[in-house]
Amino acid sequence: MAIQLIECTPCFSEGRRHDVIDAILNPFRTTPGCHLLDHRSDGEENHLTISLAGRPGPVQEALMAAARIALETIDMNAYTGLHLGIGAVDMIPFAPVTNISMEACTTLARDFGRRLFHETEIPVYFFGEAAIRHERRCPADLRRGGYDLLKIEASAPKRRPDIGEPRLHPTAGATAVGVGKRPLYFHVNLRTADIAVAVKIAEAVTVHAGGPCHVKANARAIEDRDMTQIRFTILDPAVVPLYRILEMVRMEARGWGVEVALTDIPGMVSAGAFIQSAAYYLQAAGFHLDQVTELRLLAAMGDDT
Amino acid sequence: MAIQLIECTPCFSEGRRHDVIDAILNPFRTTPGCHLLDHRSDGEENHLTISLAGRPGPVQEALMAAARIALETIDMNAYTGLHLGIGAVDMIPFAPVTNISMEACTTLARDFGRRLFHETEIPVYFFGEAAIRHERRCPADLRRGGYDLLKIEASAPKRRPDIGEPRLHPTAGATAVGVGKRPLYFHVNLRTADIAVAVKIAEAVTVHAGGPCHVKANARAIEDRDMTQIRFTILDPAVVPLYRILEMVRMEARGWGVEVALTDIPGMVSAGAFIQSAAYYLQAAGFHLDQVTELRLLAAMGDDT
């Protein structure tokens, strides 16, 4: 029987204390059937983002173990950092990889949210496909203002948790649990040191200036290299493929006589995000992901392998 | 423990009798741990090519079962078809997918060749990385002239099998067993009906005119559509990426005022072949296959999954 595989990219409000980060990562490293793919922590942001994949059961077991460690080690009242998280276990987004439907992922997220509250008393907000309230579909909306604001507002009807009493956990805050792909990060380096030009180009490739939805961008200088960089966050890479972003940048940059120097894709990406761009540039419009040996094999692998 | 996975693209000298084709395919469909990904048969060529992937043990068991069926049902002396194969089981190329080295694949191919001879008395020639004689590295060289010529020449020292007596099996001929990726097929449609132009462009993108090695091309008319098509066979897709073929076609076509209409990639491809082209066009030179979630997951999956 084919194995169900999911991806999960939880984040935690701890980017500085290496012993705590290590303790949180440990269940993901040691639970058979749960695979730790990547993790990034940032001291200034004071934030830890993890990429996991594996079977639903083991991934959830490891998440519960990590949540218990975060509950014991992170006090949101003592939190200092740029990232506006709402809790020690800030966010848990599940996404399907293979042999599992979006509906099954939603059920899984809802069940996990209930279990998280039951075992830790951390209240839960549901987002994405798993949202119960429509206005909570976007995790940025429900996490607006971060822990400090939510602590005050959690008792108001509009902001009360989906699971739990209308207040936050005294030290661990709340957790957003839902269904959603990890955003894709795409950095484009421009052969211009003029930050004003980079800002104009960045703006043109976001929804503010007629560009695609689901894309955020900001421009910054790369001072030691006489260049600028636009950092894109693509919230839904299935809807906005990478090639479309890059070609829009090239189009806008031509108007300023500027060229793209290089790009950078940090972290994990799904095969689909890359392959749809390859098909575009190769003009192979009829190409299908089923033609990729490794993807077929991953989907076909089961208990007998 | 991580599971070893290989790919295998065997071909058989039967492209017409559907009952025989079905019987040959059956072991690949029913052996747990061996996954049938794709198969193509051609009546004119009278040839069947299969794509398999899975664990080495089950893949080899299924191959032996299919070879026995081919031995019983295909008589090379009665063969008619355009494809110049050397035997009922014409060719068995193994290739690594994940968690297995080229060396281990070579050992596997040599062991399988010995077993094939031992159990069926079909003599075996080794090719690719598994070649024992250097001049047999390329399977086209050792299969030169097909069954009819090899039947005459197999007793000559230069052409005798690597395993078995210096003669072919009376009905099943010989089998080439080795290590090698399946060639990648890439069809490029040109907006010109002028076959002479298509031939010129095709020639310019092969080794004959300073183009890349490992690439064969031929041009043909697409009569009902006022276009022509160049059909590329890329023998080593890891060395000659798709983007390089396409960009060379575009470059040559510009000289004739001709544009690429569309391309087509028939059959299975490896993720790497596609992703290296995406990285080129997206100018993401630092991108690594390890950043693709599905590929990491495939490599990480093991007995515990």
Side-chain angles (χ1 to χ4, degrees):
Chain A
M1 215 187 84
I3 289 175
Q4 293 187 321
L5 293 171
I6 57 167
E7 194 181 357
C8 182
T9 44
C11 54
F12 296 83
S13 292
E14 177 58 64
R16 291 170 188 163
R17 290 176 296 164
H18 295 291
D19 55 334
V20 173
I21 291 172
D22 250 12
I24 291 171
L25 290 174
N26 196 47
F28 304 123
R29 287 196 173 110
T30 56
T31 304
C34 171
H35 306 286
L36 175 63
L37 302 183
D38 192 38
H39 61 95
R40 288 158 183 260
S41 56
D42 181 308
E44 207 179 352
E45 298 262 327
N46 203 8
H47 193 65
L48 168 67
T49 303
I50 303 174
S51 279
L52 313 169
R55 283 186 288 128
V59 166
Q60 290 174 89
E61 286 309 313
L63 282 167
M64 276 310 307
R68 275 181 224 110
I69 292 160
L71 182 65
E72 284 163 21
T73 52
I74 301 171
D75 181 353
M76 289 305 288
N77 302 297
Y79 176 84
T80 56
L82 294 181
H83 188 88
L84 289 180
I86 59 171
V89 187
D90 185 29
M91 227 179 125
I92 303 184
F94 295 98
V97 173
T98 195
N99 301 322
I100 185 165
S101 67
M102 218 43 167
E103 292 68 35
C105 250
T106 296
T107 304
L108 186 155
R110 296 255 180 90
D111 290 348
F112 183 81
R114 280 187 281 268
R115 179 177 169 193
L116 181 69
F117 174 71
H118 185 74
E119 295 187 23
T120 65
E121 293 183 9
I122 298 172
V124 168
Y125 294 85
F126 289 117
F127 70 89
E129 295 283 325
I132 290 170
R133 294 188 177 205
H134 181 73
E135 68 274 20
R136 291 179 182 174
R137 288 187 70 86
C138 172
D141 293 343
L142 70 88
R143 288 152 78 233
R144 184 175 45 81
Y147 174 75
D148 292 337
L149 186 64
L150 194 57
K151 193 166 144 181
I152 299 162
E153 295 187 348
S155 57
K158 274 180 69 177
R159 298 211 76 192
R160 64 170 293 174
D162 291 307
I163 304 280
E165 298 301 305
R167 59 179 173 265
L168 301 193
H169 184 282
T171 57
T175 300
V177 175
V179 174
K181 282 266 174 205
R182 175 176 182 260
L184 181 55
Y185 302 106
F186 187 42
H187 301 171
V188 180
N189 291 1
L190 300 172
R191 290 203 190 282
T192 177
D194 188 341
I195 186 75
V197 165
V199 167
K200 288 278 184 197
I201 296 170
E203 281 173 357
V205 188
T206 57
V207 70
H208 309 297
C213 299
H214 313 292
V215 175
K216 294 192 288 185
N218 62 74
R220 58 176 75 188
I222 314 179
E223 289 182 10
D224 56 333
R225 294 182 59 198
D226 238 25
M227 291 201 279
T228 42
Q229 182 176 68
I230 306 177
R231 296 191 163 205
F232 290 100
T233 303
I234 304 169
L235 299 176
D236 195 336
V239 173
V240 187
L242 282 175
Y243 75 82
R244 202 171 294 155
I245 302 292
L246 180 60
E247 290 306 314
M248 288 181 76
V249 168
R250 283 179 177 148
M251 176 179 72
E252 297 297 330
R254 270 197 292 274
W256 299 93
V258 167
E259 288 193 338
V260 170
L262 265 188
T263 73
D264 181 37
I265 301 167
M268 303 301 294
V269 304
S270 72
F274 237 62
I275 288 172
Q276 64 187 349
S277 288
Y280 169 81
Y281 287 113
L282 294 170
Q283 292 183 248
F287 189 81
H288 195 277
L289 290 179
D290 274 356
Q291 291 178 249
V292 180
T293 303
E294 289 87 343
L295 301 186
R296 280 284 292 284
L297 199 44
L298 190 64
M301 280 175 74
D303 297 332
D304 61 60
T305 312
Chain B
M1 215 187 84
I3 289 177
Q4 293 187 322
L5 293 171
I6 57 166
E7 194 181 358
C8 183
T9 45
C11 53
F12 296 83
S13 292
E14 178 57 64
R16 292 173 188 162
R17 290 176 295 164
H18 295 292
D19 54 334
V20 173
I21 292 172
D22 251 12
I24 291 171
L25 291 173
N26 195 46
F28 304 123
R29 287 196 172 109
T30 56
T31 306
C34 171
H35 305 287
L36 174 63
L37 302 183
D38 192 37
H39 61 95
R40 289 159 183 259
S41 56
D42 182 309
E44 208 179 353
E45 299 262 328
N46 203 6
H47 192 66
L48 168 67
T49 304
I50 303 173
S51 280
L52 312 169
R55 284 186 285 125
V59 167
Q60 290 173 90
E61 286 310 313
L63 281 169
M64 275 310 307
R68 273 181 226 111
I69 292 160
L71 183 63
E72 284 163 22
T73 53
I74 302 172
D75 180 353
M76 289 305 287
N77 302 299
Y79 177 83
T80 55
L82 293 180
H83 189 88
L84 289 180
I86 58 170
V89 187
D90 185 30
M91 229 179 123
I92 303 183
F94 295 98
V97 173
T98 195
N99 301 321
I100 184 163
S101 66
M102 218 44 165
E103 290 69 33
C105 251
T106 296
T107 303
L108 186 155
R110 296 255 181 90
D111 289 348
F112 183 81
R114 280 186 281 268
R115 180 177 169 195
L116 182 68
F117 174 71
H118 186 73
E119 295 187 24
T120 65
E121 294 185 8
I122 298 172
V124 168
Y125 293 85
F126 289 118
F127 70 88
E129 296 284 325
I132 290 170
R133 294 190 178 200
H134 181 73
E135 69 274 20
R136 292 179 181 174
R137 288 186 70 85
C138 172
D141 293 343
L142 71 87
R143 287 153 79 235
R144 184 174 46 81
Y147 174 74
D148 292 335
L149 187 65
L150 194 57
K151 196 167 140 179
I152 299 164
E153 295 187 349
S155 56
K158 275 179 71 176
R159 299 209 77 191
R160 65 171 290 173
D162 291 308
I163 304 279
E165 298 302 305
R167 60 178 171 266
L168 303 192
H169 184 282
T171 57
T175 300
V177 174
V179 174
K181 282 265 175 204
R182 176 177 181 259
L184 181 55
Y185 302 105
F186 187 41
H187 301 171
V188 180
N189 291 1
L190 300 172
R191 289 203 191 282
T192 177
D194 188 342
I195 187 73
V197 166
V199 167
K200 287 277 184 198
I201 296 169
E203 282 174 358
V205 188
T206 58
V207 70
H208 309 295
C213 296
H214 311 293
V215 175
K216 293 192 289 185
N218 63 74
R220 58 174 79 186
I222 314 179
E223 290 181 10
D224 57 334
R225 293 182 59 198
D226 238 25
M227 292 202 279
T228 42
Q229 182 176 67
I230 305 178
R231 296 191 162 204
F232 290 100
T233 302
I234 306 169
L235 300 175
D236 196 337
V239 173
V240 187
L242 283 175
Y243 74 82
R244 202 171 294 154
I245 301 293
L246 180 60
E247 291 305 314
M248 288 182 76
V249 169
R250 284 179 177 149
M251 177 179 73
E252 297 297 330
R254 271 197 292 275
W256 299 92
V258 167
E259 287 192 338
V260 170
L262 266 187
T263 73
D264 181 37
I265 302 167
M268 303 302 295
V269 305
S270 72
F274 237 62
I275 289 172
Q276 65 187 346
S277 287
Y280 169 80
Y281 287 113
L282 294 169
Q283 291 184 250
F287 188 82
H288 195 276
L289 290 179
D290 274 354
Q291 289 177 251
V292 179
T293 303
E294 288 89 343
L295 301 187
R296 280 284 291 285
L297 198 44
L298 189 64
M301 279 174 74
D303 297 332
D304 60 61
T305 313

